[in-house]
């Protein structure tokens, strides 16, 4: 059975993820940008990850930027990549559907490492998402497959290691990669 | 007589210094000719994205001025970016909207509302630090130092005629992914 992940665990993992990403950038470039924080969370608020978002509000070393649309957040992520700053996208499945042209045009055609955390709001605990009653839950993984975006599901606290893994994968493949948050965070 | 977009771009090219420039739609072919070798990345293939791309670069590199050369139809497609930009408060972002009243690149169909759409009011309403319209080249020249230097986010709505070329009549330029890597290499001095 899937389990909910505590916000604090995700935040600690994000911190490690950003540290690793910063080290990778520092090794690659002569002029890494100078910022006092570790990284950026680009968000169109996701109900499923709301405990993470509210806990992030209190964190000084991670900057949350809220966007009006997922198109903007995705495109801004490309700007952060160009500028050498690590970021993660925090959205929900409906936001992925809303921003498919940008996923294609920016992340894929632009070969931009963009790491997504996508909440599967309304996912039933006892069901595989592919069997969900809700179209918004059902189509997320198949859509990522159509676009060839590697993805994994966070089904409990033991899976948070997939966050740095897929962030790294986005960097190494120069393209999008996603983790799906199976149950609402606590 | 409204300004010619190419004249505006020439003036910007002469004064921009180390600013990063993000052209889109009809400013793209002209900018490629006027400023070929430089710190630019074209928004092509994701209509409306120039402003958010500029926002990301501006936040990542607060030491640089970032100048977005937006289309009026393009901005309408991601109008919410005005609020996202205002909310994120990039002090180094200049947002220039080339207002020609039409979707020139796709065949000059009127944009919804045509020339009556007031981007200055929208930018102010969203919370930009400043926003105003310019219709004369001399006025633009006079204001350019503050357009490139004042605290942002700032928007200038440029009332212009049609460019000579569009991305449809003048294809070419590097693919987006090559432009992304080139600009990244230059900004970060990738080893
Ligand atoms: C999502 C999407 N819908 C429609 C189009 C078709 N299209 C290509 S260029 C263009 C017009 C662009 O107009 P504007 O931003 O005003 O720039 P201009 O050509 O006038 O400089 C349109 C509608 C597109 N490229 N992408
Ligand atoms: Mg236009």
């Amino acid at each position: 059975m899937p389990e909910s992940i505590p916000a604090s665990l995700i935040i600690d993992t994000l911190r490690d993820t950003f540290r690793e990403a910063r080290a990778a950038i520092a090794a690659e470039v002569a002029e890494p940008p100078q910022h006092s924080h570790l990284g950026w969370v680009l968000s169109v608020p996701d109900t499923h990850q709301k405990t993470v978002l509210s806990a992030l509000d209190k964190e000084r070393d991670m900057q949350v930027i809220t966007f009006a649309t997922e198109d903007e957040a995705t495109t801004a992520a490309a700007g952060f990549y160009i500028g050498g700053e690590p970021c993660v996208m925090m959205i929900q499945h409906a936001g992925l559907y809303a921003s498919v042209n940008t996923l294609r045009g920016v992340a894929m055609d632009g070969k931009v490492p963009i790491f997504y955390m996508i909440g599967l709001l309304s996912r039933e605990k006892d069901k595989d998402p592919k069997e969900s009653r809700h179209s918004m839950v059902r189509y997320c993984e198949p859509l990522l497959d159509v676009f060839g975006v590697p993805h994994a599901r966070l089904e409990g606290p033991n899976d948070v290691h997939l966050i740095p893994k897929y962030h790294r994968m986005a960097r190494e493949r120069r393209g999008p990669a996603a983790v799906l948050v199976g149950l609402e965070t606590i | 007589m409204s300004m010619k977009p190419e004249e505006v771009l020439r003036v910007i090219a002469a004064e921009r210094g180390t600013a990063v420039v993000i052209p889109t739609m009809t400013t793209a072919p002209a900018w490629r000719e006027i400023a070929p070798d430089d710190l630019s990345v074209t928004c092509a293939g994701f209509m409306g994205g120039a402003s958010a791309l500029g926002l990301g670069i501006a936040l990542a590199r607060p030491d640089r001025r970032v100048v977005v050369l937006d289309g009026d139809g393009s901005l309408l497609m991601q109008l919410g970016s005005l609020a996202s930009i205002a909310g994120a408060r990039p002090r180094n972002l200049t947002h220039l909207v080339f207002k020609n009243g039409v979707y020139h690149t796709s065949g000059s169909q009127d944009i919804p509302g045509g020339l009556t759409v007031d981007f200055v009011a929208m930018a102010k309403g969203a919370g930009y630090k400043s926003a105003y319209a310019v219709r004369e080249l001399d006025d633009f020249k006079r204001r350019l130092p503050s357009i490139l230097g004042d605290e942002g986010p700032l928007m200038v709505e440029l009332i212009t005629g049609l460019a000579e070329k569009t991305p449809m009549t003048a294809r070419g330029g590097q693919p987006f992914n090559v432009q992304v890597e080139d600009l990244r290499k230059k900004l970060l001095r990738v080893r």
Side-chain angles (χ1 to χ4, degrees):
Chain A
M1 270 301 206
E3 287 172 61
S4 285
I5 306 175
S8 57
L9 180 57
I10 291 187
I11 286 177
D12 287 346
T13 310
L14 284 177
R15 200 173 273 122
D16 292 343
T17 304
F18 284 138
R19 283 204 185 97
E20 181 188 320
R22 260 194 202 285
I25 293 166
E28 185 196 357
V29 311
E31 282 180 22
Q34 305 295 325
H35 283 281
S36 55
H37 54 259
L38 283 173
W40 307 76
V41 177
L42 315 186
S43 152
V44 178
D46 170 26
T47 331
H48 219 49
Q49 302 177 79
K50 64 177 184 296
T51 64
V52 179
L53 286 170
S54 62
L56 276 171
D57 271 351
K58 292 170 209 103
E59 299 294 330
R60 307 233 115 223
D61 54 357
M62 284 176 269
Q63 289 276 157
V64 179
I65 307 279
T66 304
F67 289 84
T69 68
E70 290 81 3
D71 285 317
E72 296 161 22
T74 311
T75 311
F80 281 103
Y81 172 66
I82 290 170
E85 280 291 292
C87 64
V88 307
M89 293 266 300
M90 198 170 278
I91 62 170
Q92 66 179 49
H93 41 25
L96 179 71
Y97 306 139
S99 59
V100 161
N101 187 50
T102 309
L103 167 70
R104 178 205 57 75
V106 174
M108 294 169 56
D109 287 4
K111 299 195 193 331
V112 178
I114 297 184
F115 169 75
Y116 291 81
M117 293 182 68
I118 303 172
L120 290 178
L121 177 70
S122 300
R123 184 268 177 104
E124 301 91 333
K125 204 171 180 166
D126 57 348
K127 280 201 178 112
D128 189 277
K130 289 181 195 72
E131 262 103 56
S132 173
R133 282 193 301 122
H134 305 288
S135 61
M136 52 187 180
V137 176
R138 234 171 25 241
Y139 290 122
C140 194
E141 290 174 353
L143 177 72
L144 292 168
D145 288 336
V146 165
F147 281 78
V149 179
H151 58 88
R153 218 184 295 147
L154 307 185
E155 293 288 39
N158 290 337
D159 291 340
V160 292
H161 67 96
L162 296 168
I163 294 174
K165 181 174 172 189
Y166 276 72
H167 200 278
R168 196 178 310 130
M169 194 184 293
R171 219 160 46 232
E172 286 168 4
R173 73 186 294 264
R174 300 231 165 135
V179 297
L180 312 183
V181 182
L183 292 185
E184 200 163 351
T185 57
I186 48 175
Chain B
M1 254 283 287
S2 55
M3 297 183 286
K4 288 197 168 81
E6 293 84 354
E7 290 173 347
V8 175
L9 295 176
R10 258 179 234 115
V11 174
I12 296 170
E15 294 293 324
R16 66 191 282 235
T18 60
V20 171
V21 177
I22 303 165
T24 191
M25 299 299 171
T26 59
T27 54
W31 187 253
R32 208 158 60 225
E33 283 175 16
I34 292 165
D37 56 340
D38 63 351
L39 295 162
S40 304
V41 58
T42 307
C43 165
F46 47 103
M47 179 170 166
S51 52
L53 187 58
L55 173 60
I57 299 174
L59 290 175
R61 302 301 305 213
D63 52 316
R64 294 261 177 174
R65 180 57 59 159
V66 176
V67 182
V68 173
L69 311 176
D70 218 342
D72 47 4
S74 293
L75 180 54
L76 284 182
M77 192 170 272
Q78 291 191 31
L79 199 53
S81 67
L82 293 179
S84 302
I85 287 169
R89 290 195 295 272
R91 299 159 65 96
N92 52 333
L93 185 69
T94 297
H95 192 171
L96 305 180
V97 181
F98 286 69
K99 179 168 162 178
N100 54 20
V102 294
Y103 294 116
H104 186 200
T105 302
S106 57
S108 290
Q109 308 86 353
D110 284 352
I111 64 166
L115 285 169
T116 59
V117 177
D118 186 344
F119 292 102
V120 172
M122 289 186 190
K124 282 188 180 156
Y128 272 48
K129 198 89 191 157
S130 61
Y132 51 88
V134 170
R135 5 185 113 245
E136 305 286 341
L137 193 63
D138 282 343
D139 189 24
F140 183 72
K141 283 183 186 158
R142 219 172 13 251
R143 290 174 180 265
L144 193 57
S146 75
I147 290 173
L148 295 175
D150 281 1
E151 185 178 332
L154 80 92
M155 171 187 288
V156 184
E157 182 188 80
L158 301 163
I159 303 15
T160 72
L162 299 187
E164 275 165 34
K165 296 173 184 165
T166 77
M168 291 296 135
T169 61
R171 289 177 181 274
Q174 297 282 11
F176 179 57
N177 65 302
V178 176
Q179 295 191 39
V180 164
E181 279 311 319
D182 278 357
L183 179 56
R184 185 170 186 271
K185 282 197 180 108
K186 282 180 195 150
L187 285 185
L188 302 172
R189 298 212 292 117
V190 173
R191 284 193 262 259

